[in-house]
């Protein structure tokens, strides 16, 4: 199947335009004036790098999510750099994906959950944020060919938000899944036109379809422009439908029985404490089966990566292409007796894989630098030669880390924020539960609630490895963890930690929650340049100021 760019007979209204044909010298001049190409690159006449971003759905790092991906680890991780401290600013699909696209924390892009009301692919998102995503800049300013295939945002394709005819600005080729992850019986928007798929493995299995259209793009794209590809797989998201050849793999694999598996969440927020401990045998069997199926679906992703890398190598483009591999959030299977889901503040939900290979990156490296997915957009724009200072992004470019810069000044903390969701009615399958909770399965253990709204400072410094979190509830409940002594986050040390440090962390959280652009990159509590003014901890009435959670209407 041959891919066609958007509007082959001329651009449609609202569709990305291709750059007009021009001489290489004129194109270089235009790019230089537009701010996407450094003078040294022009003088050297070097080819601008290509970029590929591979994004999985709900793939954890803490519980062994990369274990099935042997080829991916060999072809990307071992050929480049693996980040051991990569985080997401929100442990939920749509807010996290919005952070990748915009380079912003959720309080700045205002996507708070997976619903239209929560700004997920809403009209407001389309009007305010989409024109300023990094792919839009790559296409309109830097002259990149841009290709998207797979899951975009959870409400993409909703009739109230333009339907499948809506193609976000910045994409030359658009193969987007309608709404949430599926493997069969789904609809794609092919450059704004709907195409339905059935349940025939050879032509419909989504991970393989994404691989095939990606290879088609590499065959039929223009060779006169650099390219950016974003491939967003359904795996390992539910319903965890593996390809036929992988459905019997990992039969002896079970969810990890680590220290926080199937234990009561003592001294934690009430939502964690309500989980039933010990879990029933049926719950454990359910989560073990889910864990196994998740790994099975990832084997097709591993095949996709292998095909893509081989095609780039065959085309002679691999050495000039950066390849990023990551996930939108982590996942848990039985930790603190929560059967399966994400959304929580703990490492298993907010930490993700991040592997990168490309020009100038030495092989077999591991970086312990604290990074977040808000850094992906700034990094890719930096690769294209576009200055972060021209954007409103909160993240930082990883390019100096990737290229081994010495004496690098880097951040020591990142913000994590989440706005809980709950129904106003009682769940009919769990009549004993009060309204206000959601995601109650199995055995009526609820994974979310309207006041599961929290914000955290995740700090990694030379002598400190801390997480400080506040909940937006009547208690203003606080959780603090020393991850050096307690990597499984079993013991909440809020009552034993130095009160002065607690005050500083509270203030830092308030600062980050109101930050924007450069102010999100200011020194953290343990950095030499940090300044703390205790007077700012009090309001005009003399009482302690607490952080305000955003309730901004969309």
């Amino acid at each position: 199947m041959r891919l066609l760019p958007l509007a082959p007979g001329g651009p449609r209204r609202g569709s990305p335009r291709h750059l007009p044909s021009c001489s290489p010298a004129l194109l270089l001049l235009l790019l230089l004036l537009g701010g996407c190409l450094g003078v040294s690159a022009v003088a050297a006449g070097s080819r601008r790098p290509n970029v590929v971003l591979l994004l999985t759905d709900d793939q954890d790092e803490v519980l062994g999510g990369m274990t099935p991906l042997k080829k991916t680890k060999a072809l990307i991780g071992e050929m480049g750099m693996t980040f051991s401290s990569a985080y997401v600013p929100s442990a939920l699909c749509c807010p996290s994906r919005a952070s990748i696209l915009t380079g912003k924390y959720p309080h700045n892009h205002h996507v708070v959950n997976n619903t239209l009301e929560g700004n997920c692919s809403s009209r407001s998102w389309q009007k305010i944020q989409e024109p300023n995503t990094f792919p839009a800049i790559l296409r309109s300013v830097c002259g990149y060919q841009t290709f998207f295939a797979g899951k975009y945002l959870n409400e993409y394709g909703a009739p109230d938000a333009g339907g499948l005819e809506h193609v976000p600005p910045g994409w030359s080729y658009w193969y987007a899944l309608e709404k949430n992850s599926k493997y069969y019986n789904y609809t794609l928007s092919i450059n704004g036109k709907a195409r339905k798929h059935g349940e025939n493995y050879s032509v419909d299995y989504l991970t393989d379809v994404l691989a095939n259209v990606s290879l088609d793009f590499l065959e039929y794209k223009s060779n006169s422009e650099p390219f950016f590809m974003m491939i967003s797989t359904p795996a390992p998201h539910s319903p965890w439908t593996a390809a036929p050849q992988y459905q019997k793999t990992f039969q002896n694999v079970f969810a990890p029985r680590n220290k926080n598996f199937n234990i009561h969440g003592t001294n934690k927020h009430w939502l964690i404490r309500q989980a039933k401990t010990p879990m029933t045998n049926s719950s454990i069997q359910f989560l073990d089966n889910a864990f196994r199926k998740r790994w099975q679906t990832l084997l097709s992703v591993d095949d996709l990566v292998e095909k893509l890398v081989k095609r780039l190598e065959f085309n002679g483009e691999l050495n000039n292409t950066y390849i990023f591999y990551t996930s939108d959030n982590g996942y848990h299977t039985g930790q603190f007796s929560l059967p399966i889901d994400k959304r929580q503040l703990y490492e298993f939900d907010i930490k993700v894989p991040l592997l990168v290979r490309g020009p100038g990156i030495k092989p077999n490296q591991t970086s312990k630098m604290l990074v977040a997915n808000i850094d992906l957009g700034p990094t890719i724009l930096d690769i294209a030669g576009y200055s972060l200072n021209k954007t409103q992004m909160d993240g930082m470019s990883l390019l100096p880390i990737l290229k081994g810069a010495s004496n690098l000044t880097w951040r020591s903390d990142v913000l994590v924020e989440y706005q809980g969701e709950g129904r106003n009615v009682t769940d009919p399958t769990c009549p004993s539960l009060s309204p206000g909770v959601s995601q109650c399965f199995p055995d009526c253990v609820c994974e979310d609630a309207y006041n599961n709204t929290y914000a955290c400072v995740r700090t990694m410094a030379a002598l400190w490895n801390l997480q400080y979190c506040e909940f937006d509830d009547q208690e203003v409940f606080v959780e603090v963890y020393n991850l050096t002594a307690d990597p499984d986050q079993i013991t909440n040390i809020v009552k034993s930690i130095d009160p002065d440090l607690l005050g500083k962390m509270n203030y830092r959280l308030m600062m980050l929650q109101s930050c924007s652009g450069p102010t999100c990159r200011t020194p953290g509590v343990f950095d030499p340049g940090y300044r703390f003014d205790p007077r700012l901890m009090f309001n005009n009435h003399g009482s302690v100021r607490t952080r305000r959670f955003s309730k901004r209407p969309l």
Side-chain angles (χ1 to χ4, degrees), residues 183-184 186 196-206 209:
Y183 299 81
Y184 294 111
Y186 55 86
K196 293 185 179 294
H197 281 259
E199 51 189 15
N200 182 340
Y201 168 72
S202 62
V203 295
D204 296 318
Y205 189 69
L206 182 55
V209 169

Side-chain angles (χ1 to χ4, degrees), residues 155-173:
E155 285 294 328
Y156 172 74
D160 292 341
L164 294 174
E165 294 183 0
H166 171 68
V167 178
W171 296 103
S172 314
Y173 298 81

Side-chain angles (χ1 to χ4, degrees), residues 206-223:
L206 182 55
T207 306
D208 291 353
V209 169
L210 301 182
N212 292 335
V213 296
S214 300
L215 298 180
D216 284 348
F217 169 75
L218 290 175
E219 180 176 356
Y220 294 111
K221 65 175 177 58
S222 167
N223 291 323

Side-chain angles (χ1 to χ4, degrees), residues 295-409:
W295 276 23
Q296 292 170 354
T297 66
L298 285 169
L299 293 176
S300 293
V301 176
D302 212 28
D303 292 339
L304 182 157
V305 172
E306 180 184 40
K307 293 174 184 176
L308 189 71
V309 171
K310 285 185 174 180
R311 179 60 59 87
L312 288 167
E313 186 174 29
F314 179 80
N315 290 353
E317 295 173 314
L318 183 59
N319 291 336
N320 194 42
T321 301
Y322 288 89
I323 304 177
F324 294 74
Y325 182 98
T326 192
S327 172
D328 58 0
N329 50 255
Y331 208 71
H332 57 258
T333 48
Q335 285 62 48
F336 303 122
S337 299
L338 298 171
I340 58 164
D341 201 34
K342 51 266 188 176
R343 306 169 198 267
Q344 310 308 331
L345 58 86
Y346 308 103
E347 294 282 282
F348 41 74
D349 282 0
I350 64 174
K351 195 172 183 180
V352 293
L354 178 58
L355 290 66
V356 190
R357 67 171 291 172
I361 305 177
K362 295 179 181 179
N364 286 307
Q365 293 189 88
T366 299
S367 173
K368 296 181 180 179
M369 293 292 199
L370 179 62
V371 301
N373 71 7
I374 58 171
D375 300 329
L376 294 175
T379 303
I380 294 169
L381 290 178
D382 195 7
I383 289 170
Y386 190 84
S387 173
L388 175 60
N389 294 331
K390 296 182 179 182
T391 74
Q392 297 177 338
M393 294 183 175
D394 303 330
M396 304 170 68
S397 172
L398 304 178
L399 201 54
I401 299 175
L402 293 170
K403 295 203 169 183
S406 57
N407 300 320
L408 181 65
T409 300

Side-chain angles (χ1 to χ4, degrees), residues 226-260:
F227 62 83
F228 168 69
M229 304 176 71
M230 184 170 177
I231 306 166
S232 180
T233 72
H237 196 284
S238 61
W240 316 304
T241 309
Q245 67 269 29
Y246 296 133
Q247 290 179 358
K248 294 184 179 180
T249 57
F250 306 123
Q251 292 303 304
N252 295 319
V253 168
F254 302 91
R257 267 50 170 179
N258 49 4
K259 290 184 179 180
N260 55 20

Side-chain angles (χ1 to χ4, degrees), residues 453-501:
T453 295
Y454 60 81
C456 307
V457 182
R458 181 66 178 92
T459 299
M460 296 182 69
L463 299 177
W464 294 91
N465 187 6
L466 290 176
Q467 186 174 15
Y468 172 91
C469 302
E470 291 181 12
F471 283 83
D472 184 23
D473 58 12
Q474 292 180 344
E475 298 178 88
V476 191
F477 195 85
V478 177
E479 295 187 28
V480 185
Y481 298 97
N482 177 352
L483 283 97
T484 300
D486 180 21
D488 295 297
Q489 297 171 287
I490 294 172
T491 304
N492 180 5
I493 61 172
V494 64
K495 294 183 179 180
S496 61
I497 198 170
D498 181 353
D500 289 340
L501 178 57

Side-chain angles (χ1 to χ4, degrees), residues 102-155:
T102 63
K104 297 177 182 179
Y105 284 120
H107 69 267
N108 286 328
H109 61 59
H110 307 300
V111 178
V112 298
N113 57 41
N114 289 343
T115 67
L116 281 176
E117 295 76 16
N119 205 26
C120 181
S121 200
S122 68
R123 294 285 192 183
S124 174
W125 157 266
Q126 294 169 14
K127 179 180 179 180
I128 299 172
Q129 301 297 338
E130 279 188 342
N132 299 304
T133 61
F134 79 85
I137 297 172
L138 283 177
R139 183 65 195 141
S140 64
V141 182
C142 301
Y144 271 65
Q145 303 169 83
T146 53
F147 168 90
F148 182 87
K151 175 181 171 178
Y152 178 57
L153 300 175
N154 294 56
E155 285 294 328

